[in-house]
Amino acid sequence: MSTCATASRLLAEPLSGTAATARTWLLVEQPGPWGDRALTMSHLDPATGRALEEATAGTDVRIALIRRPGRHADCHRPGTRRIFAAHTAPGRSWIRTAEVTDPALLLDLDFAALGAGDHGGLGEAYEGEPLALVCTNGKRDRCCALLGRPLAAELTAAGGTEVWEVTHIGGHRFAPTLLVLPYGYSYGRATAPAVKEALEAAREGRIVTAGCRGRSAWARPAQAAELAVRALTGEEGADALDVSGTDTSGNPGAAPRWTVTVTHTDGRSWRVVVEQGAATPARPESCGRAPVSPGRMDVVHIAPAG
């Protein structure tokens, strides 16, 4: 086992409530190498990448680059690029796909509407397998390449899945990391058998919670709260649970605390109290970085609402 994998497992930091947040993901195919800041450090035109970063800021849209697993042609000007837009809100999840000749055309999109779940007729509905997006951005964190690329290759060789490599999706220390669309659940310390199980569940509209970091549609306290309700109830339905509110009042002068209301489509609801703690002992948040104590989301109380 590599040094990265050994450190990650020995530290055994809880995964819940650590997923990147985005209501909508915009994924742009870009073969070739990726730098630390991939949108402006790849063979995507840097001005276009910078403009896309600025245009999506504050819109609940997160943009990332993708490429097929395997050897990456060092192609400065591919003829066409595949794009995916995926909205992850419960009960309103969708994926749209299109091909573009110039990523600058994406600047014409209404990103505020896209973040709110209105695709505006972008491309066509994607009806294929759930998307398995494995982070392999080695310039951002070498563990993502060392552990992510073999996982992406193994999943691709097994067939029956739609696998892409993706740029940074957060949580380097949990490498290999994975995002599954359309539901937007992230996974850490992923193995090929566990990913195959998660993808099979996603095909059936279910969620596997083992190794799950949370659903990107919500902020991190809500991610932890929703997973806690799933653990309590055994609920697997991808769209069975939603977050109806998060109260940040109370607990002055102490650790940050949130009261999250999680609702079920059958009418049940729960109030989940989440506190921010510090992961100990200190550990690198990224391979090669100095050890720190990253924040963690601890569920300290859960009870039926009403």
Side-chain angles (χ1 to χ4, degrees), residues 11 173 279 281-294:
L11 292 169
R173 62 194 182 278
R283 79 284 317 280
E285 286 193 285
S286 184
C287 286
R289 302 289 177 87
V292 296
S293 295

Side-chain angles (χ1 to χ4, degrees), residues 25-293:
W25 292 82
L26 180 61
L27 309 170
V28 181
E29 184 178 10
Q30 178 56 61
W34 297 333
D36 180 15
R37 296 183 61 84
L39 281 174
T40 55
M41 300 173 67
S42 69
H43 290 160
L44 177 68
D45 174 57
T48 298
R50 192 172 299 108
L52 286 168
E53 283 185 325
E54 293 171 355
T56 55
T59 65
D60 275 336
V61 175
R62 180 163 176 147
I63 186 167
L65 302 183
I66 57 173
R67 63 192 178 195
R68 288 296 190 182
R71 285 189 169 273
H72 308 299
D74 196 10
C75 181
H76 285 263
R77 297 185 62 84
T80 60
R81 305 165 200 252
R82 186 82 176 271
I83 67 164
F84 296 95
H87 189 63
T88 63
R92 305 182 299 282
S93 300
W94 48 256
I95 300 178
R96 306 284 293 188
T97 188
E99 290 189 344
V100 296
T101 56
D102 183 358
L105 296 172
L106 298 174
L107 292 167
D108 293 332
L109 293 173
D110 183 339
F111 290 110
L114 198 62
D118 179 4
H119 56 69
L122 170 66
E124 60 185 16
Y126 172 75
E127 304 291 350
E129 294 289 324
L131 299 183
L133 302 158
V134 181
C135 181
T136 62
N137 194 354
K139 292 295 185 182
R140 185 70 178 254
D141 186 288
R142 66 175 180 267
C143 285
C144 292
L146 290 172
L147 302 177
R149 293 195 69 184
L151 174 63
E154 184 174 352
L155 294 172
T156 300
T161 57
E162 183 74 10
V163 183
W164 294 81
E165 297 184 4
V166 68
T167 53
H168 180 54
I169 55 174
H172 310 295
R173 62 194 182 278
F174 305 125
T177 58
L178 174 88
L179 173 69
V180 177
L181 295 172
Y183 301 119
Y185 283 89
S186 290
Y187 293 85
R189 307 185 188 114
T191 64
V195 172
K196 291 171 186 176
E197 183 181 357
L199 293 172
E200 180 61 32
R203 290 186 195 101
E204 300 171 356
R206 298 184 296 107
I207 297 303
V208 169
T209 57
C212 190
R213 299 173 59 200
R215 190 169 190 157
S216 73
W218 301 309
R220 292 179 178 181
Q223 294 172 10
E226 188 251 11
L227 289 175
V229 171
R230 288 191 181 277
L232 176 69
T233 63
E235 178 58 64
E236 294 184 329
D239 292 326
L241 298 178
D242 203 346
V243 172
S244 61
T246 301
D247 181 4
T248 58
S249 63
N251 207 38
R257 172 180 286 196
W258 301 265
T259 299
V260 182
T261 301
V262 179
T263 59
H264 195 290
T265 51
D266 66 8
R268 289 179 292 165
S269 61
W270 298 262
R271 287 195 176 91
V272 185
V273 178
V274 181
E275 281 188 357
Q276 181 175 308
T280 56
R283 79 284 317 280
E285 286 193 285
S286 184
C287 286
R289 302 289 177 87
V292 296
S293 295

